[in-house]
């Protein structure tokens, strides 16, 4: 991705999102903008002492964000899941742990709240 586009992306997505997600695609249509994000393969803090193996993603979640230049903005978010080889259970990032004790923006807090509703299967 071109560096100038990456710099603009930080103006569009909630602050802090790029710490945990990467842009994998975007589409601009007549009345909407679609931004596709995938969670990075970085081990969650609460599982640092466990052996985890990436097992892909939960189903995509679509969140509507603030309009941009008169177009609706949709964030297509894919959350990562891991197999905990110590417990043989599927685990995923706990967004309450991420938010606890940090100073986050209201936009990022709203983003975390929205994606936390979708635990996946």
């Amino acid at each position: 991705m071109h560096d100038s586009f990456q710099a603009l992306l930080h103006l569009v997505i909630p602050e802090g999102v790029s710490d945990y997600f990467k842009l994998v695609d975007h589409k601009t249509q007549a009345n909407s903008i679609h931004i596709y994000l995938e969670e990075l393969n970085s081990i969650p803090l609460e599982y640092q002492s466990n052996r985890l193996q990436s097992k892909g993603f939960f189903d995509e979640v679509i969140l509507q964000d603030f309009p941009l230049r008169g177009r609706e903005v949709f964030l297509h978010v894919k959350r990562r899941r891991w197999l905990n080889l110590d417990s043989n259970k599927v685990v995923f990032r706990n967004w309450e742990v991420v938010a606890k004790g940090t100073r986050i923006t209201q936009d990022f807090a709203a983003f975390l709240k929205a994606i936390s509703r979708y635990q996946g299967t």
Side-chain angles (χ1 to χ4, degrees), residues 29-40:
Q29 299 174 340
N31 297 319
S32 62
I33 299 169
H34 296 263
I35 298 171
Y36 296 82
L37 303 166
E38 287 183 358
E39 187 172 356
L40 298 171

Side-chain angles (χ1 to χ4, degrees), residues 42-52 84 86 93:
S42 60
I43 304 297
L45 284 176
E46 61 269 30
Y47 297 107
Q48 290 291 320
S49 63
N50 297 112
R51 295 178 303 130
L52 299 187
N84 184 332
D86 298 327
R93 191 173 313 279

Side-chain angles (χ1 to χ4, degrees), residues 20-21 37-44 46-47 51-61 77-85 87-95 115 118-121:
Y20 297 95
F21 293 87
L37 303 166
E38 287 183 358
E39 187 172 356
L40 298 171
N41 190 11
S42 60
I43 304 297
E46 61 269 30
Y47 297 107
R51 295 178 303 130
L52 299 187
Q53 181 179 32
S54 178
K55 286 297 182 181
F57 299 93
F58 289 113
D59 290 338
E60 179 181 276
V61 175
V77 180
K78 290 175 80 177
R79 294 180 57 205
R80 189 170 291 277
R81 61 183 169 202
W82 295 269
L83 176 63
N84 184 332
L85 298 172
S87 67
N88 207 30
K89 293 184 178 180
V90 172
V91 297
F92 46 90
R93 191 173 313 279
N94 181 340
W95 291 105
I115 65 170
Y118 304 96
Q119 296 301 322
T121 54

Side-chain angles (χ1 to χ4, degrees), residues 65-109:
D65 203 4
F66 294 103
L68 185 62
R69 298 216 176 254
R71 294 180 180 164
E72 294 180 311
V73 175
F74 296 95
L75 303 176
H76 297 253
V77 180
K78 290 175 80 177
R79 294 180 57 205
R80 189 170 291 277
R81 61 183 169 202
W82 295 269
L83 176 63
N84 184 332
L85 298 172
D86 298 327
S87 67
N88 207 30
K89 293 184 178 180
V90 172
V91 297
F92 46 90
R93 191 173 313 279
N94 181 340
W95 291 105
E96 290 179 20
V97 171
V98 172
K100 190 179 287 185
T102 62
R103 300 184 74 182
I104 59 175
T105 66
Q106 288 184 343
D107 284 347
F108 191 41

